[in-house]
Amino acid sequence: MGVIMLTSAAGAPGVTSTALALALLWPGDTVLIDADGHPSQAVLAGYLQGTDGAGRGVTALAGSQRGRSVEPVDLLSHCLPLSTDTQHQRLFLPGMPRSGAGQLLVGAFELILDTLHAVSDAGIQVVIDAGRFGADGPPAGLVGLTSTVIVLTRTSLRALAALRLHLPVISQRAGSASLGLVLVGEGQPYTAAEISGQFGVPVLGRLVDDPPAAAVLSDGADAPRGFTRGRYARSLRDLVDRLVDERRSLEPEGAR
């Protein structure tokens, strides 16, 4: 199935909202994992409207095993439901419960890497929200686990200057994984063709810059009239369709 990781070079272009959208719109079972090294509990406090993590999450899962291997059922039991979708299972594994615990996060993911492989191999699409990349970036082993690394960026000169600084490190960490950009607000002022040509990285998606619509995901706001038919929602579905098509093109012919 493969693992999709989303990150950004700097700022707040909407990594968590986009990762959440992939987990909600993917045509199959999904698990969204909070691996942000700068924890904010954005999904719990935003989309899930202040839901209590009830002691569940990445670090709680790793700590509960006391040296024994983490099985997929253990991971799934530490997740919270993301939706009431009866056709597909959509789950969320919360991240760090407090700031300043970066090494704890690294250690936790080292313990559950094999489990994430097993969950993915079982046909559950794993989506990792790695937040802002920063100087150290997500745990190297976690990046190595992914099959697709998506870097979100706005299209202003300031955002692209930060992307230029961090993209070489992201690219190196990604290794053999597919690396692509998702643009938020194309044409403000640079276009997908200009950015892809400048950085030599394909643009996988173009998300409409619509803060009120994005707030439905980032803050759990009430959906405005026509939300599902609006340009922002359509741009998210287009991104999912592109990623699904990419996945299918990589599968052996007999598995399709």
Side-chain angles (χ1 to χ4, degrees):
M1 176 64 69
V3 174
I4 299 172
M5 174 182 285
L6 292 89
T7 187
S8 67
V15 172
T16 296
S17 298
T18 306
L20 176 58
L22 294 187
L24 292 171
L25 297 174
W26 196 268
D29 295 343
T30 58
V31 173
L32 171 63
I33 297 175
D34 181 357
D36 191 345
H38 306 85
S40 62
Q41 298 191 341
V43 174
L44 291 176
Y47 183 75
L48 293 179
Q49 292 283 280
T51 295
D52 185 354
R56 303 179 188 180
V58 174
T59 53
L61 169 62
S64 70
Q65 302 312 301
R66 300 184 183 279
R68 70 180 180 88
S69 61
V70 181
E71 301 296 331
V73 67
D74 298 320
L75 185 147
L76 298 179
S77 71
H78 271 260
C79 292
L80 299 168
L82 271 178
S83 77
T84 57
D85 186 343
T86 57
Q87 184 177 6
H88 299 296
Q89 183 174 232
R90 305 192 186 280
L91 301 173
F92 171 60
L93 184 66
M96 291 191 298
R98 63 182 186 277
S99 63
Q103 285 305 117
L104 183 62
L105 179 70
V106 171
F109 274 111
E110 287 176 350
L111 290 175
I112 68 171
L113 284 178
D114 289 342
T115 311
L116 292 179
H117 272 299
V119 169
S120 175
D121 290 344
I124 300 174
Q125 181 59 58
V126 177
V127 180
I128 297 176
D129 170 12
R132 187 174 73 251
F133 198 81
D136 297 326
L142 187 60
V143 180
L145 165 73
T146 62
S147 53
T148 301
V149 177
I150 295 173
V151 182
L152 270 77
T153 182
R154 295 186 178 276
T155 63
S156 66
L157 181 58
R158 181 166 68 94
L160 297 176
L163 182 65
R164 180 175 294 283
L165 287 174
H166 292 284
L167 191 61
V169 178
I170 298 173
S171 179
Q172 183 181 35
R173 291 274 184 90
S176 62
S178 171
L179 177 65
L181 301 175
V182 167
L183 309 182
V184 179
E186 184 189 13
Q188 298 177 0
Y190 296 102
T191 66
E194 290 172 322
I195 294 170
S196 179
Q198 182 65 228
F199 291 97
V201 176
V203 172
L204 301 178
R206 303 167 176 84
L207 301 185
V208 172
D209 188 11
D210 185 344
V216 174
L217 295 170
S218 63
D219 295 280
D222 292 336
R225 186 175 180 179
F227 172 75
T228 58
R229 302 186 303 277
R231 294 176 60 237
Y232 175 69
R234 291 203 308 271
S235 68
L236 289 170
R237 290 196 296 270
D238 288 344
L239 173 60
V240 171
D241 289 344
R242 168 74 181 265
L243 294 173
V244 169
D245 288 344
E246 183 181 84
R247 282 280 174 279
R248 288 173 177 163
S249 70
L250 296 174
E251 291 177 354
E253 188 171 337
R256 297 177 194 172

